[in-house]
Amino acid sequence: MAEQESKLRVVILGGGTAGWMTAAGLVRRLPGDQYDVTLVESDEIGIVGVGEATLPHIKQFNDMLGLDEAEFMRATRATFKLGIEFCGWDRPGDRYIHPFGAFGEPWGGVQFQHHWLRLRAQGRETSPFQAYSLAVAAARADAFALPDENLASIRSTYSYAYHFDSGLYAPFLRSWAMARGAKRIEGRVASVERNPETGAVLSLSMQSGERVAGDFFVDCSGFRSLLLGSELGVGWEDWRHWLPCDRALAVPCDHASGAGITPCTRSTARRAGWQWRIPLQHRIGNGYIFSSDFISQEEAQEVLLANLDGAPQNEPRLLRFAPGRRNVAWASNCVAVGLASGFLEPLESTSIFLIQAAVVDLIDLMPSPGPDRAIDPRLADEFNRLTTMHYERIRDFLILHYVANRREGEPLWDYLRAMPLPDSLAHKMALFRARATAPEYQFGLFSRDSWLSVLFGQGLSPVGHDPLADGFDLALIDSKCADFKSRVDGAVDAMPSHSDFIAGYCAATESVAA
Ligand SMILES: Cc1cc2nc3c(=O)[nH]c(=O)nc-3n(C[C@H](O)[C@H](O)[C@H](O)COP(=O)(O)OP(=O)(O)OC[C@H]3O[C@@H](n4cnc5c(N)ncnc54)[C@H](O)[C@@H]3O)c2cc1C
């Protein structure tokens, strides 16, 4: 009894991807004799049911839980993802891949892009920057193999993420977390009880009449943001002036008969937004993210349905959203994770990463158990600082795709080209233009190579490069470039097709497209 009382009771409201990632992370990392984890979810309300493309970090999360990769992939009908292909984002007809991997090698301590730019300036380089990435070459060839841990191998220069069925990941984690001590209460929360003096959340009252009391609450209630937004009244920072898309139409479709499974997400720019294509083992997820100021829902639906690989499996489903974030993610004794905390459109598959980052930060900053349940405000401050950093960096990266476009004459894209930028992004673009310099963060998103892929991919041309590159013998750099490209070609030739790799490694019981 004494032990039960000294445990810190963590109550998670919501059982979507955010709720079950939080529950799984907490039961994996927090000592069970000190923390009690209960999750409340409503089958009647259900989950948002989109969110199928991820970033490589998800593998670290799954590894932290100790999940078996092939079992997880079978259970969620997952495929591998080497990057995102952007079609028509600079101008209609062009395409580039943002790969999960490095471009070239930093010869002589000078980053690759400077050598490449120098060769180009001298008229010696005709290959695009994209030619210097193994992940790009493999994605274009629909090939896949697991990376090599040997750092001397060219196959150590990329990583990968997954596409998975959004309706299957949360239930997979639910079974895992419940087997390790997470408790689940099914039902709808009708009201919230708060301490009249401090404002802290005390308990959730279920429609059934049950009362779920806690010391610390995690709001994973999705766009509703029941605790942080509705109950605690934390305001919303609206980013719609930078990211004007506010609707999505989502529809799954069949694979085209005889087509292999591409190991990358595709994002195709459209007149009033963009269309995603996410290949899973058993179907393809599709959606049109659009701005309701620039196209009607009916027209968006026509465009979406006219651009599918195979027959649609359902009627398109409309989702409304607002880009932005809560002013703080942690207030009083409540922290929001997932859509309850904010939303950035899935252009770079960042929402699940934001959930993961929040869970990891929460584990590090979780209030201590014990008789004194007061929460040190410095924990909340630090969590909020980290959350702001993640959101703002991702926001800037997303805006970059839009602002650096040459789709002249299309009203949405004309607006985007002309809009004032956040200072933080304007600074990064100016540095790149002047000296081909891209951000390099020690933690979080995005890596320098990711920035370079989009900066070059969107057609930005630096006027200068690092002068240290000028000290190298040009013929030597020529031969290093040629050698790198031939190692890329050799590695891709030796890889199986993505479909064959899945068939041998993690095929779900349903058949995999040929
Ligand atoms: C169009 C679109 C495309 C997306 N694509 C991607 C992508 O490719 N990659 C990516 O990383 N992310 C993507 N996302 C984001 C991703 O879907 C979410 O981050 C993820 O699904 C997490 O959602 P959630 O768990 O926060 O909310 P939800 O899935 O909405 O879960 C909310 C939970 O709260 C419960 N709940 C709510 N109210 C109550 C109540 N009163 N009582 C009891 N329970 C309640 C619900 O039952 C549910 O269990 C996309 C989002 C959208 C809108």
Side-chain angles (χ1 to χ4, degrees), residues 14-15 17-18 42 45-48 50-51 53 187 189 220-221 226 339 346 351-352:
T17 301
S42 156
I45 294 174
I47 65 173
V48 70
V50 274
V189 171
C220 297
S221 63
L226 278 184
L339 300 174
S351 284
I352 295 172

Side-chain angles (χ1 to χ4, degrees), residues 87-398:
C87 302
W89 277 81
D90 176 15
R91 284 185 279 214
D94 70 359
R95 52 184 60 210
Y96 67 90
I97 291 179
H98 163 198
F100 300 145
F103 285 97
E105 289 166 328
W107 298 308
V110 176
Q111 291 162 19
F112 174 74
Q113 76 271 18
H114 301 294
H115 292 300
W116 179 80
L117 283 166
R118 177 174 171 237
L119 288 186
R120 259 207 347 179
Q122 304 274 339
R124 300 169 82 109
E125 174 60 276
T126 52
S127 299
F129 194 64
Q130 291 265 300
Y132 293 94
S133 158
L134 176 51
V136 168
R140 291 228 161 98
D142 287 351
F144 185 79
L146 295 174
D148 194 332
E149 285 178 10
N150 171 9
L151 294 182
S153 163
I154 184 100
R155 270 188 39 210
S156 69
T157 61
Y158 65 94
S159 53
Y160 63 87
Y162 312 104
H163 306 118
F164 55 61
D165 188 323
S166 59
L168 299 175
Y169 187 52
F172 181 79
L173 291 181
R174 177 204 293 166
S175 312
W176 188 93
M178 289 182 69
R180 286 157 185 81
K183 300 183 191 82
R184 171 181 187 255
I185 296 173
E186 197 286 316
R188 200 172 179 130
V189 171
S191 61
V192 178
E193 190 197 352
R194 291 172 58 197
N195 182 317
E197 279 161 29
T198 64
V201 178
L202 296 174
S203 65
L204 310 179
S205 297
M206 310 296 293
Q207 259 178 358
S208 62
E210 187 179 356
R211 187 172 158 272
V212 185
D215 304 304
F216 190 75
F217 290 79
V218 188
D219 185 353
C220 297
S221 63
F223 286 131
R224 289 175 173 79
S225 196
L226 278 184
L227 299 181
L228 194 76
S230 302
E231 196 56 45
L232 295 176
V234 171
W236 179 259
E237 197 173 332
D238 193 333
W239 288 341
R240 198 163 166 214
H241 51 295
W242 285 316
L243 295 166
C245 289
D246 60 353
R247 301 272 193 285
L249 280 164
V251 68
C253 77
D254 295 341
H255 280 283
S257 103
I261 301 177
T262 43
C264 62
T265 306
R266 185 181 302 146
S267 159
T268 304
R270 302 260 178 246
R271 184 172 69 72
W274 58 276
Q275 181 168 341
W276 80 76
R277 176 186 180 279
I278 300 177
L280 308 178
Q281 292 191 34
H282 57 314
R283 61 169 169 79
I284 298 177
N286 308 277
Y288 187 174
I289 298 268
F290 60 95
S291 168
S292 59
D293 287 345
F294 292 88
I295 195 172
S296 69
Q297 186 183 327
E298 293 69 31
E299 198 188 330
Q301 177 156 322
E302 258 174 52
V303 173
L304 173 65
L305 292 176
N307 288 285
L308 301 181
D309 286 36
Q313 297 184 338
N314 300 318
E315 281 295 303
R317 186 159 72 96
L318 180 71
L319 295 115
R320 293 163 200 271
F321 56 80
R325 59 180 289 258
R326 297 273 151 208
N327 291 335
V328 292
W330 181 332
S332 184
N333 65 336
C334 174
V335 64
V337 176
L339 300 174
S341 154
F343 183 70
L344 287 164
E345 62 185 76
L347 184 55
E348 285 282 354
S349 319
T350 44
S351 284
I352 295 172
F353 166 83
L354 283 166
I355 296 171
Q356 173 178 349
V359 173
V360 170
D361 292 341
L362 185 56
I363 290 166
D364 283 349
L365 297 166
M366 182 54 88
S368 308
D372 173 16
R373 300 287 159 87
I375 292 173
D376 185 336
R378 288 168 297 192
L379 300 176
D381 289 348
E382 180 59 3
F383 186 91
N384 290 331
R385 184 187 71 79
L386 292 167
T387 308
T388 302
M389 177 192 82
H390 288 306
Y391 267 91
E392 291 185 352
R393 283 183 184 173
I394 294 171
R395 176 201 67 194
D396 283 3
F397 193 58
L398 299 190

Side-chain angles (χ1 to χ4, degrees), residues 391-409:
Y391 267 91
E392 291 185 352
R393 283 183 184 173
I394 294 171
R395 176 201 67 194
D396 283 3
F397 193 58
L398 299 190
I399 297 172
L400 171 67
H401 298 64
Y402 280 113
V403 72
N405 82 78
R406 286 177 280 186
R407 296 182 66 103
E408 275 143 36

Side-chain angles (χ1 to χ4, degrees), residues 8-21:
L8 191 110
R9 296 163 304 171
V10 181
V11 176
I12 301 166
L13 170 55
T17 301
W20 284 111
M21 281 180 76

Side-chain angles (χ1 to χ4, degrees), residues 397-452:
F397 193 58
L398 299 190
I399 297 172
L400 171 67
H401 298 64
Y402 280 113
V403 72
N405 82 78
R406 286 177 280 186
R407 296 182 66 103
E408 275 143 36
E410 296 180 279
L412 170 69
W413 297 90
D414 289 343
Y415 164 78
L416 289 161
R417 249 191 342 274
M419 71 186 173
L421 296 181
D423 292 344
S424 46
L425 175 58
H427 171 71
K428 287 173 192 122
M429 290 174 70
L431 263 180
F432 178 74
R433 285 197 172 102
R435 247 315 254 279
T437 300
E440 184 165 22
Y441 305 126
Q442 202 180 350
F443 306 106
L445 300 177
F446 271 92
S447 71
R448 186 178 59 220
D449 285 302
S450 293
W451 277 93
L452 289 174

